Amino acid sequence: MLRSYLARVFPIDVLREIEGSLAEMGRLAGVDLYQLQLADRLNEPRLTQWDAWGNRIDKIELTPLWRVAERIAAEHGVVATAYEQKHGSLSRVHQCALAYLFTPSTDIYSCPLAMTDGAARTLLGSGNQALIDRAVPHLTTRDANEFWTAGQWMTELTGGSDVGLSETVAKPDANGYRLYGRKWFTSAISSQIALTLARPEGNPPGGRGLALFYLETRDEHGRPRNIEINRLKDKLGTRKVPTAELNLVGTPAQLVKGNTDGVRNIAPVLNITRLWNGISAVALMRRGVALASDYAGKRVAFGAPLSEKPLHADTLAGLEAESEAAFQLAFYVAELTGQSETHEISEDAASLLRLLTPVMKLTTGKQAVMVASEVLECFGGAGYVEDTGLPVLLRDSQVLPIWEGTTNVLALDTLRAIDSGDSLRPFQLVVTRCLETARDHDLADAVRVARTSLDHATSWLVEARSAGQPALEAGARRFALTLGRTMELALLIKHAQWSHDHEQDRQSTAAARRFAQSGVDLIF
Ligand SMILES: Cc1cc2nc3c(=O)[nH]c(=O)nc-3n(C[C@H](O)[C@H](O)[C@H](O)COP(=O)(O)OP(=O)(O)OC[C@H]3O[C@@H](n4cnc5c(N)ncnc54)[C@H](O)[C@@H]3O)c2cc1C
C-alpha cells in the first residue's frame, strides 16, 4: 500500500532518493524495534518524587524501548525530514511515511514526536525570533544528543475540550512570566520544553484572554523548574507514555506571540498533532491487518487454513478496505499540509485542508478502534491474551478518538470550517475529480456510492441549517463521518484506477469495492 501510493505521488527520481531511508526504517520497525517492543512489554515509565534525603526531584524514567525510540527518531529524521524540505512540499509526505513505519513498533513514541513537530511549526510561525533560535534547532535536529521533544499542556480539570475555562494564571516578573496552576493531562512529561496556555493577570475570561507560553521543564541540573509532578496517570493504554498531573508553582515562561488569543495561537500545534494522529491510526491498523492476515494462513480450523474460509476472508477484506481507505485520506492531508508549509497551496486547497484536518482525524480515529477490535477477534482467544502482544493494539488505538479533540468536538469544528471558508465547495470538487478518473467498469458501483453520499451530505447540511442549531449540532458527527468516508472512497477509487493502469494491480480496486459496501453514508 505504501509503496504503491509513493509511486503514484513522488516523481521517480525523488522516490529513488528517499527509498533508502524508508527501507531502513522498515527494517528497524520490522526487526530491531519490534524485538525490543516485545521484550519491553511489561516495562512502564516510573516517577520518583523524592530522593533519599527528602528533596523533591520528580524524576521520570522511561522504558528501554522509548529511550531507543528517541535516538532512532532523531537520527532518522522522523521530525527533521519535514523541516529540511529537501523535496519541497513532498518532504512532509516523506516524513509521514517514516512516521507510519516507525509508529507500530514504538508504543506511542509518536506522541512526543507529534508535539515536537507541532511546537516547531508553531514557533516558526510565531515570528518570535528569540524562541525560534533557542528551540527550533533542537526540535528539528538529527543529532540525538541535541534533540529536544516538546509537550503541549492545555487540558485542565475544568476541561480539555472547553480550554477557555483554563484557570492557570501568568504573573509578570523581571524575566518574563511565572505560571501558577494545575495541568491535568500532560503527556510525555519527559520533554525538555512545553507550549502551554495561561491567563496573564488582568486578562478577561474565555479563550481570548489566554496567552500561549513557552517553558523549559528542567534546569541545568535536571531539576523541574517550579513544576511538581503529582502522579502519572494510570491509563487504559499508551502506557509507555508518561502522562502526568502537575502543579505549576511559579514556573518561568515566555510569551510566544502576544498576550491574548492563546487558543488561536496554539492551533498550529493541533493541526500537526491531528495529522500525526491520523498517520498513527493508519499505521496501527496496518500492523493489525498484517498480523491478522499472516495468522489466517497459519491457523487451521475445520480442515483448512482460516484464509481459505470464505467468511474469514471476507472479514479480512473488510479490514483491508478500511485501512486502505484511511491511509489514502491521512496521506492526502499530509500532501496538503506540505503544500501549505511551502506556501505552494491555492486558496481552495487551503480551505480544504482546514476542513479535512478535523474530518480526517475523527474518521481515522474511529476506524482504528474498530479495526483493532476486529483484529483481536481474528486471533480468537489469543487476541485477548497479553503475551501475544496483540491487546496493546486495541488499548493504544482507543486513545486516538479522544486526545487532540474528541470526535464530537471535531465534528463541530467541521461545521465551523465549512462556515468560515466555504470549504465544502473544494471538497466537492476534489471528490468529483477523483471519481472522474475511474474508467474501470469494476469501480462503477463504488463511484455511484461516493456520488450519492456526497449529494446526501450536501443536502443534509442545507436542511439542518434551516432546521436550526440543535438539529445541526445533533447531526454533526454523522455528517463529518460521512464526509470523511466519502473522501476516503473517492481517493481510494482514484488510487485504484492508477494502480490498475500503472501496476496492473487490482488490490485497491477490490478495497474500493469492499469499502463502498461498508457504510459510507452515515446520515439518516
Ligand atoms: C492518554 C491521554 C493523554 C493526554 N495528553 C494530553 C496532553 O499531553 N496535553 C493536553 O493538553 N491534554 C492531553 N489529554 C487530554 C485530552 O486532550 C482531553 O481528555 C480531551 O481533549 C477531552 O477533554 P476532557 O477530558 O476534558 O473531556 P470533556 O471536554 O469533558 O468531554 C467529555 C465528552 O463530552 C463531549 N463534548 C464536549 N463538548 C461537547 C459539545 N460541545 N458537544 C457535544 N459533545 C461535547 C466530548 O466529545 C466527550 O465525549 C490527554 C488525554 C489522554 C486520554
Side-chain angles (χ1 to χ4, degrees):
M1 197 164 77
L2 177 64
R3 282 176 188 279
S4 176
Y5 165 79
L6 294 175
R8 173 167 66 79
V9 169
F10 278 81
I12 185 74
D13 52 325
V14 180
L15 190 55
R16 293 253 156 78
E17 275 181 46
I18 68 167
E19 241 169 8
S21 67
L22 296 171
E24 176 60 8
M25 184 57 83
R27 193 194 63 73
L28 285 167
V31 183
D32 306 26
L33 285 169
Y34 184 51
Q35 294 305 331
L36 189 52
Q37 180 184 38
L38 295 179
D40 201 57
R41 188 174 62 81
L42 296 175
N43 297 328
E44 298 206 341
R46 277 206 339 229
L47 165 65
T48 306
Q49 287 173 307
W50 306 96
D51 74 6
W53 314 110
N55 301 306
R56 183 112 197 201
I57 51 169
D58 288 345
K59 186 171 148 207
I60 302 284
E61 284 166 272
L62 301 174
T63 77
L65 173 68
W66 260 48
R67 290 202 295 270
V68 172
E70 178 171 294
R71 182 176 54 72
I72 288 179
E75 289 173 355
H76 292 260
V78 184
V79 174
T81 301
Y83 294 86
E84 292 161 356
Q85 291 191 343
K86 285 196 186 135
H87 306 293
S89 69
L90 286 174
S91 295
R92 180 53 83 179
V93 180
H94 178 197
Q95 180 235 2
C96 285
L98 286 168
Y100 169 79
L101 293 166
F102 173 85
T103 294
S105 298
T106 44
D107 286 350
I108 314 296
Y109 194 74
S110 51
C111 165
L113 295 181
M115 297 190 291
T116 302
D117 192 346
R121 176 57 48 215
T122 304
L123 291 175
L124 282 169
S126 71
N128 187 329
Q129 201 55 46
L131 291 184
I132 294 171
D133 292 346
R134 168 84 183 144
V136 172
H138 289 288
L139 301 174
T140 59
T141 181
R142 284 178 184 252
D143 179 347
N145 297 321
E146 293 293 317
F147 186 51
W148 287 0
T149 58
Q152 154 209 320
W153 302 350
M154 294 173 69
T155 304
E156 299 193 5
L157 262 175
T158 45
S161 308
D162 189 1
V163 285
L165 296 174
S166 295
E167 292 174 334
T168 297
V169 172
K171 300 185 182 195
D173 82 349
N175 300 314
Y177 282 84
R178 286 188 179 263
L179 307 187
Y180 298 85
R182 188 169 174 204
K183 295 290 175 183
W184 187 232
F185 275 92
T186 59
S187 280
I189 189 60
S190 48
S191 293
Q192 286 81 356
I193 69 161
L195 296 184
T196 191
L197 297 177
R199 196 176 310 280
E201 269 186 326
N203 271 18
R208 275 217 66 207
L210 293 170
L212 176 59
F213 286 91
Y214 165 96
L215 60 86
E216 295 183 5
T217 52
R218 289 179 186 262
D219 65 19
E220 58 280 18
H221 306 293
R223 285 184 303 243
R225 287 176 193 263
N226 299 13
I227 298 170
E228 291 170 355
I229 302 178
N230 296 330
R231 59 175 170 169
L232 297 184
K233 299 274 194 197
D234 183 7
K235 298 170 289 179
L236 169 70
T238 68
R239 293 193 67 95
K240 301 295 159 82
V241 184
T243 301
E245 296 169 14
L246 50 84
N247 290 337
L248 304 176
V249 286
T251 313
Q254 311 286 325
L255 282 170
V256 175
K257 189 180 178 185
N259 74 342
T260 57
D261 294 307
V263 176
R264 194 170 68 202
N265 291 334
I266 206 169
V269 179
L270 297 176
N271 290 336
I272 294 292
T273 54
R274 285 170 186 168
L275 171 61
W276 272 84
N277 208 84
I279 299 294
S280 300
V282 293
L284 294 181
M285 279 188 249
R286 197 71 208 148
R287 167 63 56 88
V289 173
L291 291 172
S293 302
D294 181 64
Y295 187 66
K298 294 174 175 159
R299 176 70 167 175
V300 174
F302 303 101
L306 290 173
S307 55
E308 291 173 22
K309 300 289 178 190
L311 180 52
H312 196 77
D314 181 77
T315 306
L316 290 175
L319 299 181
E320 181 73 41
E322 289 294 326
S323 77
E324 275 210 41
F327 177 98
Q328 294 297 335
L329 179 56
F331 274 84
Y332 182 55
V333 173
E335 289 170 44
L336 293 176
T337 303
Q339 290 165 22
S340 165
E341 290 171 325
T342 50
H343 310 290
E344 293 164 22
I345 197 162
S346 68
E347 218 173 288
D348 267 3
S351 69
L352 180 61
L353 174 60
R354 166 70 185 90
L355 171 61
L356 281 186
T357 299
V359 163
M360 180 278 288
K361 191 281 188 184
L362 72 88
T363 307
T364 56
K366 283 292 183 203
Q367 287 172 300
V369 178
M370 187 277 280
V371 167
S373 170
E374 198 66 69
V375 161
L376 263 53
E377 191 175 334
C378 284
F379 282 83
Y384 204 70
V385 173
E386 291 289 353
D387 61 4
T388 60
L390 291 164
V392 69
L393 273 177
L394 180 57
R395 284 200 298 268
D396 285 355
S397 296
Q398 183 64 68
V399 85
L400 297 171
I402 295 176
W403 64 13
E404 314 304 350
T406 62
T407 309
N408 282 0
V409 165
L410 292 180
L412 296 173
D413 191 45
T414 300
L415 295 178
R416 273 195 299 278
I418 291 174
D419 282 344
S420 66
D422 188 24
S423 49
L424 201 54
R425 194 179 42 78
F427 183 96
Q428 290 159 330
L429 214 67
V430 168
V431 169
T432 307
R433 280 203 202 118
C434 288
L435 300 182
E436 281 168 1
T437 64
R439 285 170 285 102
D440 183 357
H441 181 71
D442 283 352
L443 290 169
D445 285 344
V447 169
R448 252 190 308 279
V449 169
R451 282 219 174 94
T452 312
S453 66
L454 179 63
D455 290 347
H456 193 194
T458 309
S459 63
W460 177 85
L461 187 61
V462 175
E463 284 162 27
R465 274 178 173 154
S466 64
Q469 191 63 19
L472 193 61
E473 283 192 24
R477 174 199 279 245
R478 290 185 286 273
F479 171 69
L481 282 167
T482 301
L483 289 186
R485 293 180 74 80
T486 303
M487 182 59 88
E488 287 186 348
L489 180 56
L491 293 166
L492 187 51
I493 287 170
K494 175 180 159 182
H495 186 76
Q497 184 66 56
W498 180 90
S499 180
H500 185 202
D501 294 345
H502 293 84
E503 303 174 316
Q504 289 71 52
D505 191 336
R506 311 281 288 162
Q507 164 60 35
S508 296
T509 302
R513 286 165 60 85
R514 187 67 171 74
F515 188 70
Q517 296 163 356
S518 307
V520 175
D521 178 356
L522 302 181
I523 297 171
F524 49 77

